[in-house]
Amino acid sequence: MTDDNGSNVEAGIGVAGSTGVADGQWIFTWVAQPFDWNAADFVGVNFQADFQTDGSGHFDDDRVGWMIRDDDNSSDHIFGVQMDPGGSGYNIEAYWDGDTFGDDGGRTSIVDLPTLSANAWYRLRAEITKLTATSARIDVSLTELDGSGNPGAVVASGSIPDTDLLPDTPGEEIPNPGYFTATTIWPAYKNYQAIAGAADNACYEVVTSAPPTCYALTLGHTGQGSDPLATPANSTGCAAGEYVSGEEIQLSGAVPDAGWHIDSWTGTDNDSSTADSNTVTMPASAHAAAVNYTEIPP
C-alpha cells in the first residue's frame, strides 16, 4: 500500500531483512479483522508487533491497540499502549488520549524502559483482559529480538490492574466507556515517523471462553405433594434445568398434600432432612433429586 503520510509496507526493512512497515504519520487499522468487546464468549484480546529503535536506541509514539472508527486514521480514536518519551525517561504507557470523547488524556505510565540498543528490534506485546463491559486489565511486555527475529530476554514488563481504578486526573483518566461499547472495533498499529525505525509482524489474538459442559438435573417426588423448585434455574451458559459440575443448587417449595409429610430426600446434600428445602451439588453427570412424602398415619 502507498500513502504519502505512511505507514507504507516496504520490502527489505523488516526483521532480518523481511518486508516491514516504514515509519509514517498515521495509524494502520486492520479493518478486515473486527472484534466485539462485549461478545458473550469474549475474554480479552492480545496485540503484538515488532518495532525497531532509532540510532539512539529510542522509540517514539509506537503503538498497538484498537480503533473505534475506520474512516479516520488519526490518534483521536485509538485505545491501546505505546512506547514513548515519558515516565522517568522512555516508557510504555497507556494511550486513550484523543478528542473523540473530549478526554483530557489517558497516558498512564505502565513501566519505564531501560537503555535499549540502537537500530535493534524489540517485540511489544499488550494483553488486554476484560474485567467488565467497560473496564480492563492491561499487561505489557517488551522482548529483545536477535538478528533472525527470535525472542530473547524480556527487558520490560508492567500492568494496569484495572482501568476503572486509575486516578481519573488529567493525563491518567479512566477510559471513556465508548472505547469498549463501539459498534465495531478493529486492531490498530502505529509506527510513528518522529524517529526512524521500521515495524514488522503485527498480529492480534482474540481470547474467548470455551462453552461450559452442562448436565441435566431432574427433580421429582415420591408420595403425594409437589416437586421441589431449583434456584438458580440453570448455570450461566447452560440451558434451563442444566448445570455445570460443582454448582450449588438450592431446592425449595416442597409442599406435601394434606395428610402427608416430608419423610426424606434422595440425591441431595442432606437426604435425611425433613425440611421443605435442601441443596444439591451438581456432579459431572446427569443427576436426579427428589423429595419423599409419606402419608401421616390416621
Side-chain angles (χ1 to χ4, degrees):
M1 64 183 175
T2 301
D3 179 344
D4 290 341
N5 293 311
S7 300
N8 297 327
V9 176
E10 299 180 12
I13 66 170
V15 175
S18 63
T19 299
V21 179
D23 54 88
Q25 181 176 352
W26 302 117
I27 293 168
F28 174 82
T29 305
W30 203 345
V31 295
Q33 299 292 329
F35 63 92
D36 182 358
W37 177 267
N38 284 304
D41 62 347
F42 183 89
V43 173
V45 59
N46 302 328
F47 300 97
Q48 185 171 287
D50 299 340
F51 293 97
Q52 186 182 34
T53 58
D54 69 359
S56 299
H58 293 156
F59 293 111
D60 191 341
D61 222 14
D62 296 316
R63 192 180 308 160
V64 299
W66 68 70
M67 288 283 275
I68 59 173
R69 285 178 57 176
D70 66 344
D71 59 350
D72 185 339
N73 55 7
S74 73
S75 294
D76 285 339
H77 318 294
I78 190 169
F79 177 99
V81 302
Q82 68 174 14
M83 297 181 291
D84 203 49
S88 61
Y90 284 81
N91 76 153
I92 303 175
E93 63 184 11
Y95 192 94
W96 41 89
D97 194 27
D99 294 329
T100 297
F101 305 107
D103 297 333
D104 289 329
R107 300 285 290 269
T108 297
S109 180
I110 301 174
V111 61
D112 288 339
L113 294 178
T115 300
L116 302 176
S117 300
N119 302 311
W121 285 94
Y122 293 85
R123 178 163 294 162
L124 175 63
R125 182 175 176 85
E127 299 181 357
I128 304 178
T129 303
K130 180 178 178 179
L131 299 180
T132 71
T134 56
S135 67
R137 175 185 174 91
I138 301 175
D139 295 285
V140 300
S141 64
L142 188 67
T143 302
E144 188 173 19
L145 305 181
D146 67 17
S148 298
N150 299 310
V154 175
V155 298
S157 62
S159 301
I160 295 177
D162 187 343
T163 55
D164 266 357
L165 298 181
L166 291 171
D168 208 24
T169 54
E172 291 197 82
E173 282 200 349
I174 293 172
N176 189 286
Y179 285 111
F180 303 96
T181 59
T183 303
T184 308
I185 295 172
W186 298 270
Y189 307 85
K190 185 176 184 180
N191 181 32
Y192 193 46
Q193 63 188 11
I195 62 171
D200 201 355
N201 298 321
C203 60
Y204 87 106
E205 171 191 30
V206 172
V207 181
T208 58
S209 59
T213 301
C214 304
Y215 304 99
L217 175 64
T218 302
L219 300 177
H221 69 274
T222 62
Q224 295 185 19
S226 65
D227 288 341
L229 303 175
T231 304
N234 55 275
S235 292
T236 301
C238 297
E242 295 186 355
Y243 301 87
V244 297
S245 175
E247 177 94 41
E248 185 175 283
I249 305 152
Q250 303 296 320
L251 303 181
S252 61
V255 180
D257 287 352
W260 294 72
H261 70 98
I262 297 173
D263 179 68
S264 63
W265 295 73
T266 54
T268 69
D269 294 342
N270 185 8
D271 285 348
S272 63
S273 173
T274 58
D276 61 1
S277 62
N278 212 320
T279 60
V280 172
T281 302
M282 194 67 187
S285 61
H287 187 67
V291 58
N292 303 312
Y293 300 113
T294 299
E295 190 172 12
I296 300 171

mmCIF file of all heavy atoms in Angstrom, residues 157-201:
data_model
loop_
_atom_site.group_PDB
_atom_site.id
_atom_site.type_symbol
_atom_site.label_atom_id
_atom_site.label_comp_id
_atom_site.label_asym_id
_atom_site.label_seq_id
_atom_site.Cartn_x
_atom_site.Cartn_y
_atom_site.Cartn_z
ATOM 1 N N SER A 157 8.387 -5.037 31.645
ATOM 2 C CA SER A 157 7.016 -5.536 31.740
ATOM 3 C C SER A 157 6.301 -4.782 32.848
ATOM 4 O O SER A 157 6.926 -4.285 33.791
ATOM 5 C CB SER A 157 6.979 -7.041 32.016
ATOM 6 O OG SER A 157 7.581 -7.344 33.260
ATOM 7 N N GLY A 158 4.992 -4.688 32.739
ATOM 8 C CA GLY A 158 4.214 -3.992 33.753
ATOM 9 C C GLY A 158 2.730 -4.151 33.490
ATOM 10 O O GLY A 158 2.321 -4.745 32.486
ATOM 11 N N SER A 159 1.907 -3.603 34.394
ATOM 12 C CA SER A 159 0.463 -3.818 34.319
ATOM 13 C C SER A 159 -0.307 -2.604 34.809
ATOM 14 O O SER A 159 0.177 -1.830 35.639
ATOM 15 C CB SER A 159 0.048 -5.020 35.179
ATOM 16 O OG SER A 159 0.700 -6.198 34.777
ATOM 17 N N ILE A 160 -1.515 -2.461 34.297
ATOM 18 C CA ILE A 160 -2.574 -1.665 34.913
ATOM 19 C C ILE A 160 -3.616 -2.678 35.370
ATOM 20 O O ILE A 160 -4.299 -3.277 34.535
ATOM 21 C CB ILE A 160 -3.188 -0.654 33.927
ATOM 22 C CG1 ILE A 160 -2.153 0.388 33.511
ATOM 23 C CG2 ILE A 160 -4.407 0.030 34.550
ATOM 24 C CD1 ILE A 160 -2.668 1.376 32.468
ATOM 25 N N PRO A 161 -3.753 -2.930 36.675
ATOM 26 C CA PRO A 161 -4.651 -4.000 37.128
ATOM 27 C C PRO A 161 -6.117 -3.775 36.774
ATOM 28 O O PRO A 161 -6.854 -4.729 36.544
ATOM 29 C CB PRO A 161 -4.442 -4.018 38.644
ATOM 30 C CG PRO A 161 -3.087 -3.412 38.846
ATOM 31 C CD PRO A 161 -2.966 -2.367 37.780
ATOM 32 N N ASP A 162 -6.556 -2.512 36.744
ATOM 33 C CA ASP A 162 -7.969 -2.223 36.470
ATOM 34 C C ASP A 162 -8.069 -0.784 35.990
ATOM 35 O O ASP A 162 -7.758 0.150 36.739
ATOM 36 C CB ASP A 162 -8.801 -2.427 37.736
ATOM 37 C CG ASP A 162 -10.307 -2.308 37.500
ATOM 38 O OD1 ASP A 162 -10.709 -1.760 36.454
ATOM 39 O OD2 ASP A 162 -11.077 -2.750 38.372
ATOM 40 N N THR A 163 -8.493 -0.584 34.752
ATOM 41 C CA THR A 163 -8.581 0.780 34.223
ATOM 42 C C THR A 163 -9.595 1.625 34.988
ATOM 43 O O THR A 163 -9.491 2.853 35.002
ATOM 44 C CB THR A 163 -8.955 0.767 32.732
ATOM 45 O OG1 THR A 163 -10.170 0.014 32.544
ATOM 46 C CG2 THR A 163 -7.837 0.134 31.904
ATOM 47 N N ASP A 164 -10.569 0.995 35.628
ATOM 48 C CA ASP A 164 -11.558 1.754 36.405
ATOM 49 C C ASP A 164 -10.990 2.291 37.710
ATOM 50 O O ASP A 164 -11.640 3.108 38.376
ATOM 51 C CB ASP A 164 -12.780 0.884 36.713
ATOM 52 C CG ASP A 164 -13.885 1.056 35.682
ATOM 53 O OD1 ASP A 164 -13.726 1.895 34.770
ATOM 54 O OD2 ASP A 164 -14.904 0.348 35.780
ATOM 55 N N LEU A 165 -9.795 1.823 38.113
ATOM 56 C CA LEU A 165 -9.203 2.267 39.376
ATOM 57 C C LEU A 165 -8.087 3.288 39.163
ATOM 58 O O LEU A 165 -7.369 3.617 40.113
ATOM 59 C CB LEU A 165 -8.666 1.062 40.150
ATOM 60 C CG LEU A 165 -9.711 0.014 40.553
ATOM 61 C CD1 LEU A 165 -9.062 -1.116 41.340
ATOM 62 C CD2 LEU A 165 -10.845 0.639 41.359
ATOM 63 N N LEU A 166 -7.942 3.809 37.950
ATOM 64 C CA LEU A 166 -6.967 4.868 37.706
ATOM 65 C C LEU A 166 -7.404 6.145 38.424
ATOM 66 O O LEU A 166 -8.587 6.306 38.760
ATOM 67 C CB LEU A 166 -6.832 5.112 36.205
ATOM 68 C CG LEU A 166 -6.166 3.975 35.422
ATOM 69 C CD1 LEU A 166 -6.276 4.214 33.920
ATOM 70 C CD2 LEU A 166 -4.708 3.821 35.829
ATOM 71 N N PRO A 167 -6.478 7.076 38.659
ATOM 72 C CA PRO A 167 -6.822 8.275 39.439
ATOM 73 C C PRO A 167 -7.911 9.142 38.819
ATOM 74 O O PRO A 167 -8.572 9.912 39.514
ATOM 75 C CB PRO A 167 -5.491 9.041 39.492
ATOM 76 C CG PRO A 167 -4.447 8.013 39.290
ATOM 77 C CD PRO A 167 -5.043 7.003 38.360
ATOM 78 N N ASP A 168 -8.110 9.034 37.501
ATOM 79 C CA ASP A 168 -9.079 9.851 36.771
ATOM 80 C C ASP A 168 -8.760 11.332 36.885
ATOM 81 O O ASP A 168 -9.648 12.174 37.062
ATOM 82 C CB ASP A 168 -10.510 9.570 37.242
ATOM 83 C CG ASP A 168 -11.528 9.824 36.128
ATOM 84 O OD1 ASP A 168 -11.137 9.760 34.950
ATOM 85 O OD2 ASP A 168 -12.706 10.082 36.440
ATOM 86 N N THR A 169 -7.483 11.637 36.790
ATOM 87 C CA THR A 169 -6.997 13.009 36.765
ATOM 88 C C THR A 169 -6.416 13.275 35.381
ATOM 89 O O THR A 169 -6.121 12.335 34.635
ATOM 90 C CB THR A 169 -5.915 13.222 37.833
ATOM 91 O OG1 THR A 169 -4.882 12.234 37.654
ATOM 92 C CG2 THR A 169 -6.499 13.072 39.231
ATOM 93 N N PRO A 170 -6.245 14.542 34.988
ATOM 94 C CA PRO A 170 -5.685 14.823 33.661
ATOM 95 C C PRO A 170 -4.382 14.070 33.426
ATOM 96 O O PRO A 170 -3.463 14.115 34.239
ATOM 97 C CB PRO A 170 -5.470 16.336 33.701
ATOM 98 C CG PRO A 170 -6.538 16.827 34.621
ATOM 99 C CD PRO A 170 -6.634 15.772 35.701
ATOM 100 N N GLY A 171 -4.324 13.354 32.316
ATOM 101 C CA GLY A 171 -3.165 12.537 31.997
ATOM 102 C C GLY A 171 -3.285 11.104 32.475
ATOM 103 O O GLY A 171 -2.578 10.225 31.986
ATOM 104 N N GLU A 172 -4.174 10.848 33.432
ATOM 105 C CA GLU A 172 -4.390 9.487 33.935
ATOM 106 C C GLU A 172 -5.882 9.204 34.048
ATOM 107 O O GLU A 172 -6.364 8.655 35.031
ATOM 108 C CB GLU A 172 -3.701 9.289 35.284
ATOM 109 C CG GLU A 172 -2.191 9.288 35.220
ATOM 110 C CD GLU A 172 -1.573 8.691 36.462
ATOM 111 O OE1 GLU A 172 -1.487 7.455 36.552
ATOM 112 O OE2 GLU A 172 -1.185 9.469 37.354
ATOM 113 N N GLU A 173 -6.601 9.576 33.003
ATOM 114 C CA GLU A 173 -8.047 9.415 33.027
ATOM 115 C C GLU A 173 -8.475 7.958 32.900
ATOM 116 O O GLU A 173 -7.824 7.155 32.225
ATOM 117 C CB GLU A 173 -8.680 10.211 31.889
ATOM 118 C CG GLU A 173 -8.775 11.696 32.164
ATOM 119 C CD GLU A 173 -9.816 12.354 31.282
ATOM 120 O OE1 GLU A 173 -10.294 11.706 30.339
ATOM 121 O OE2 GLU A 173 -10.147 13.518 31.549
ATOM 122 N N ILE A 174 -9.586 7.642 33.546
ATOM 123 C CA ILE A 174 -10.274 6.383 33.292
ATOM 124 C C ILE A 174 -10.813 6.441 31.864
ATOM 125 O O ILE A 174 -11.378 7.455 31.455
ATOM 126 C CB ILE A 174 -11.421 6.185 34.299
ATOM 127 C CG1 ILE A 174 -10.854 5.984 35.707
ATOM 128 C CG2 ILE A 174 -12.316 5.016 33.899
ATOM 129 C CD1 ILE A 174 -11.901 5.977 36.796
ATOM 130 N N PRO A 175 -10.624 5.400 31.062
ATOM 131 C CA PRO A 175 -11.087 5.467 29.670
ATOM 132 C C PRO A 175 -12.594 5.623 29.570
ATOM 133 O O PRO A 175 -13.351 5.053 30.361
ATOM 134 C CB PRO A 175 -10.620 4.142 29.066
ATOM 135 C CG PRO A 175 -10.361 3.245 30.223
ATOM 136 C CD PRO A 175 -9.936 4.126 31.354
ATOM 137 N N ASN A 176 -13.018 6.403 28.591
ATOM 138 C CA ASN A 176 -14.440 6.581 28.342
ATOM 139 C C ASN A 176 -15.072 5.244 27.954
ATOM 140 O O ASN A 176 -14.476 4.465 27.202
ATOM 141 C CB ASN A 176 -14.629 7.599 27.216
ATOM 142 C CG ASN A 176 -16.081 7.999 27.045
ATOM 143 O OD1 ASN A 176 -16.887 7.230 26.537
ATOM 144 N ND2 ASN A 176 -16.404 9.205 27.465
ATOM 145 N N PRO A 177 -16.285 4.932 28.448
ATOM 146 C CA PRO A 177 -16.931 3.660 28.087
ATOM 147 C C PRO A 177 -17.063 3.448 26.586
ATOM 148 O O PRO A 177 -17.121 2.304 26.119
ATOM 149 C CB PRO A 177 -18.307 3.773 28.757
ATOM 150 C CG PRO A 177 -18.089 4.688 29.918
ATOM 151 C CD PRO A 177 -17.073 5.691 29.449
ATOM 152 N N GLY A 178 -17.079 4.541 25.823
ATOM 153 C CA GLY A 178 -17.240 4.416 24.380
ATOM 154 C C GLY A 178 -16.133 3.648 23.691
ATOM 155 O O GLY A 178 -16.334 3.106 22.598
ATOM 156 N N TYR A 179 -14.953 3.571 24.309
ATOM 157 C CA TYR A 179 -13.876 2.778 23.716
ATOM 158 C C TYR A 179 -14.207 1.283 23.720
ATOM 159 O O TYR A 179 -13.653 0.515 22.931
ATOM 160 C CB TYR A 179 -12.569 2.998 24.472
ATOM 161 C CG TYR A 179 -11.910 4.325 24.189
ATOM 162 C CD1 TYR A 179 -11.850 5.316 25.165
ATOM 163 C CD2 TYR A 179 -11.352 4.599 22.946
ATOM 164 C CE1 TYR A 179 -11.241 6.537 24.913
ATOM 165 C CE2 TYR A 179 -10.751 5.816 22.678
ATOM 166 C CZ TYR A 179 -10.694 6.783 23.667
ATOM 167 O OH TYR A 179 -10.102 7.990 23.408
ATOM 168 N N PHE A 180 -15.088 0.867 24.621
ATOM 169 C CA PHE A 180 -15.436 -0.543 24.749
ATOM 170 C C PHE A 180 -16.787 -0.876 24.104
ATOM 171 O O PHE A 180 -17.024 -2.020 23.738
ATOM 172 C CB PHE A 180 -15.496 -0.940 26.226
ATOM 173 C CG PHE A 180 -14.228 -0.677 26.985
ATOM 174 C CD1 PHE A 180 -14.069 0.489 27.722
ATOM 175 C CD2 PHE A 180 -13.188 -1.586 26.965
ATOM 176 C CE1 PHE A 180 -12.902 0.742 28.429
ATOM 177 C CE2 PHE A 180 -12.013 -1.346 27.668
ATOM 178 C CZ PHE A 180 -11.873 -0.176 28.396
ATOM 179 N N THR A 181 -17.665 0.107 24.005
ATOM 180 C CA THR A 181 -19.029 -0.160 23.553
ATOM 181 C C THR A 181 -19.257 0.225 22.100
ATOM 182 O O THR A 181 -20.392 0.163 21.622
ATOM 183 C CB THR A 181 -20.036 0.597 24.440
ATOM 184 O OG1 THR A 181 -19.766 2.007 24.379
ATOM 185 C CG2 THR A 181 -19.945 0.127 25.889
ATOM 186 N N ALA A 182 -18.209 0.627 21.393
ATOM 187 C CA ALA A 182 -18.357 0.957 19.973
ATOM 188 C C ALA A 182 -18.950 -0.228 19.216
ATOM 189 O O ALA A 182 -18.688 -1.389 19.541
ATOM 190 C CB ALA A 182 -17.003 1.328 19.381
ATOM 191 N N THR A 183 -19.758 0.077 18.210
ATOM 192 C CA THR A 183 -20.427 -0.976 17.442
ATOM 193 C C THR A 183 -19.427 -1.956 16.848
ATOM 194 O O THR A 183 -19.639 -3.169 16.849
ATOM 195 C CB THR A 183 -21.279 -0.355 16.327
ATOM 196 O OG1 THR A 183 -22.216 0.552 16.914
ATOM 197 C CG2 THR A 183 -22.021 -1.426 15.551
ATOM 198 N N THR A 184 -18.306 -1.430 16.336
ATOM 199 C CA THR A 184 -17.252 -2.272 15.773
ATOM 200 C C THR A 184 -15.902 -1.770 16.263
ATOM 201 O O THR A 184 -15.692 -0.569 16.406
ATOM 202 C CB THR A 184 -17.281 -2.254 14.237
ATOM 203 O OG1 THR A 184 -18.602 -2.552 13.781
ATOM 204 C CG2 THR A 184 -16.317 -3.283 13.661
ATOM 205 N N ILE A 185 -14.992 -2.701 16.526
ATOM 206 C CA ILE A 185 -13.639 -2.391 16.982
ATOM 207 C C ILE A 185 -12.668 -3.126 16.064
ATOM 208 O O ILE A 185 -12.890 -4.286 15.711
ATOM 209 C CB ILE A 185 -13.443 -2.844 18.446
ATOM 210 C CG1 ILE A 185 -14.359 -2.049 19.385
ATOM 211 C CG2 ILE A 185 -11.996 -2.697 18.879
ATOM 212 C CD1 ILE A 185 -14.366 -2.571 20.812
ATOM 213 N N TRP A 186 -11.568 -2.436 15.686
ATOM 214 C CA TRP A 186 -10.586 -3.040 14.783
ATOM 215 C C TRP A 186 -9.188 -2.981 15.395
ATOM 216 O O TRP A 186 -8.811 -1.968 15.999
ATOM 217 C CB TRP A 186 -10.541 -2.288 13.454
ATOM 218 C CG TRP A 186 -11.816 -2.293 12.674
ATOM 219 C CD1 TRP A 186 -12.209 -3.204 11.731
ATOM 220 C CD2 TRP A 186 -12.866 -1.314 12.737
ATOM 221 N NE1 TRP A 186 -13.434 -2.855 11.209
ATOM 222 C CE2 TRP A 186 -13.864 -1.702 11.808
ATOM 223 C CE3 TRP A 186 -13.065 -0.153 13.490
ATOM 224 C CZ2 TRP A 186 -15.028 -0.974 11.606
ATOM 225 C CZ3 TRP A 186 -14.228 0.573 13.301
ATOM 226 C CH2 TRP A 186 -15.195 0.162 12.362
ATOM 227 N N PRO A 187 -8.362 -4.022 15.219
ATOM 228 C CA PRO A 187 -6.958 -3.943 15.638
ATOM 229 C C PRO A 187 -6.258 -2.792 14.920
ATOM 230 O O PRO A 187 -6.559 -2.494 13.758
ATOM 231 C CB PRO A 187 -6.379 -5.296 15.211
ATOM 232 C CG PRO A 187 -7.564 -6.190 15.039
ATOM 233 C CD PRO A 187 -8.690 -5.312 14.592
ATOM 234 N N ALA A 188 -5.301 -2.163 15.618
ATOM 235 C CA ALA A 188 -4.631 -0.997 15.038
ATOM 236 C C ALA A 188 -3.188 -0.924 15.523
ATOM 237 O O ALA A 188 -2.865 -1.345 16.640
ATOM 238 C CB ALA A 188 -5.376 0.282 15.409
ATOM 239 N N TYR A 189 -2.335 -0.340 14.670
ATOM 240 C CA TYR A 189 -0.902 -0.257 14.947
ATOM 241 C C TYR A 189 -0.385 1.080 14.424
ATOM 242 O O TYR A 189 -0.852 1.585 13.407
ATOM 243 C CB TYR A 189 -0.151 -1.406 14.254
ATOM 244 C CG TYR A 189 -0.738 -2.756 14.579
ATOM 245 C CD1 TYR A 189 -1.813 -3.262 13.849
ATOM 246 C CD2 TYR A 189 -0.259 -3.503 15.643
ATOM 247 C CE1 TYR A 189 -2.386 -4.481 14.169
ATOM 248 C CE2 TYR A 189 -0.822 -4.728 15.967
ATOM 249 C CZ TYR A 189 -1.882 -5.211 15.226
ATOM 250 O OH TYR A 189 -2.448 -6.415 15.553
ATOM 251 N N LYS A 190 0.609 1.626 15.125
ATOM 252 C CA LYS A 190 1.206 2.879 14.678
ATOM 253 C C LYS A 190 2.722 2.799 14.800
ATOM 254 O O LYS A 190 3.246 2.425 15.849
ATOM 255 C CB LYS A 190 0.685 4.062 15.501
ATOM 256 C CG LYS A 190 1.173 5.421 14.997
ATOM 257 C CD LYS A 190 0.552 6.565 15.783
ATOM 258 C CE LYS A 190 0.972 7.911 15.217
ATOM 259 N NZ LYS A 190 0.388 9.037 15.975
ATOM 260 N N ASN A 191 3.411 3.148 13.720
ATOM 261 C CA ASN A 191 4.872 3.239 13.702
ATOM 262 C C ASN A 191 5.202 4.670 13.307
ATOM 263 O O ASN A 191 5.345 4.995 12.132
ATOM 264 C CB ASN A 191 5.454 2.236 12.701
ATOM 265 C CG ASN A 191 6.968 2.281 12.665
ATOM 266 O OD1 ASN A 191 7.606 2.559 13.674
ATOM 267 N ND2 ASN A 191 7.541 2.009 11.503
ATOM 268 N N TYR A 192 5.291 5.537 14.298
ATOM 269 C CA TYR A 192 5.303 6.976 14.040
ATOM 270 C C TYR A 192 6.621 7.438 13.435
ATOM 271 O O TYR A 192 7.693 6.886 13.716
ATOM 272 C CB TYR A 192 5.013 7.726 15.336
ATOM 273 C CG TYR A 192 4.696 9.188 15.149
ATOM 274 C CD1 TYR A 192 3.808 9.603 14.163
ATOM 275 C CD2 TYR A 192 5.279 10.158 15.959
ATOM 276 C CE1 TYR A 192 3.503 10.938 13.995
ATOM 277 C CE2 TYR A 192 4.980 11.496 15.800
ATOM 278 C CZ TYR A 192 4.094 11.882 14.806
ATOM 279 O OH TYR A 192 3.803 13.212 14.641
ATOM 280 N N GLN A 193 6.516 8.505 12.630
ATOM 281 C CA GLN A 193 7.654 8.996 11.864
ATOM 282 C C GLN A 193 8.550 9.964 12.626
ATOM 283 O O GLN A 193 9.523 10.476 12.070
ATOM 284 C CB GLN A 193 7.147 9.707 10.606
ATOM 285 C CG GLN A 193 6.313 10.948 10.914
ATOM 286 C CD GLN A 193 5.661 11.520 9.671
ATOM 287 O OE1 GLN A 193 5.657 10.901 8.619
ATOM 288 N NE2 GLN A 193 5.103 12.723 9.792
ATOM 289 N N ALA A 194 8.268 10.207 13.919
ATOM 290 C CA ALA A 194 9.098 11.156 14.670
ATOM 291 C C ALA A 194 10.551 10.695 14.733
ATOM 292 O O ALA A 194 11.469 11.511 14.815
ATOM 293 C CB ALA A 194 8.553 11.340 16.079
ATOM 294 N N ILE A 195 10.758 9.382 14.725
ATOM 295 C CA ILE A 195 12.115 8.835 14.674
ATOM 296 C C ILE A 195 12.156 7.760 13.599
ATOM 297 O O ILE A 195 11.129 7.173 13.249
ATOM 298 C CB ILE A 195 12.561 8.242 16.024
ATOM 299 C CG1 ILE A 195 11.648 7.074 16.428
ATOM 300 C CG2 ILE A 195 12.581 9.305 17.112
ATOM 301 C CD1 ILE A 195 12.147 6.311 17.634
ATOM 302 N N ALA A 196 13.347 7.505 13.062
ATOM 303 C CA ALA A 196 13.492 6.460 12.056
ATOM 304 C C ALA A 196 13.430 5.094 12.721
ATOM 305 O O ALA A 196 13.934 4.894 13.821
ATOM 306 C CB ALA A 196 14.816 6.631 11.325
ATOM 307 N N GLY A 197 12.807 4.140 12.042
ATOM 308 C CA GLY A 197 12.706 2.783 12.571
ATOM 309 C C GLY A 197 11.497 2.094 11.988
ATOM 310 O O GLY A 197 10.403 2.665 11.965
ATOM 311 N N ALA A 198 11.678 0.881 11.496
ATOM 312 C CA ALA A 198 10.589 0.153 10.853
ATOM 313 C C ALA A 198 9.785 -0.638 11.881
ATOM 314 O O ALA A 198 10.097 -0.655 13.079
ATOM 315 C CB ALA A 198 11.163 -0.779 9.785
ATOM 316 N N ALA A 199 8.734 -1.296 11.399
ATOM 317 C CA ALA A 199 7.921 -2.198 12.218
ATOM 318 C C ALA A 199 7.641 -3.453 11.407
ATOM 319 O O ALA A 199 7.807 -3.473 10.181
ATOM 320 C CB ALA A 199 6.625 -1.527 12.645
ATOM 321 N N ASP A 200 7.199 -4.510 12.094
ATOM 322 C CA ASP A 200 7.010 -5.782 11.403
ATOM 323 C C ASP A 200 6.135 -6.688 12.263
ATOM 324 O O ASP A 200 5.942 -6.454 13.466
ATOM 325 C CB ASP A 200 8.373 -6.441 11.167
ATOM 326 C CG ASP A 200 8.352 -7.473 10.039
ATOM 327 O OD1 ASP A 200 7.264 -7.752 9.505
ATOM 328 O OD2 ASP A 200 9.433 -7.996 9.706
ATOM 329 N N ASN A 201 5.611 -7.739 11.629
ATOM 330 C CA ASN A 201 4.944 -8.846 12.327
ATOM 331 C C ASN A 201 3.810 -8.397 13.239
ATOM 332 O O ASN A 201 3.648 -8.909 14.351
ATOM 333 C CB ASN A 201 5.969 -9.658 13.132
ATOM 334 C CG ASN A 201 7.025 -10.285 12.251
ATOM 335 O OD1 ASN A 201 6.731 -10.761 11.154
ATOM 336 N ND2 ASN A 201 8.275 -10.263 12.702
#
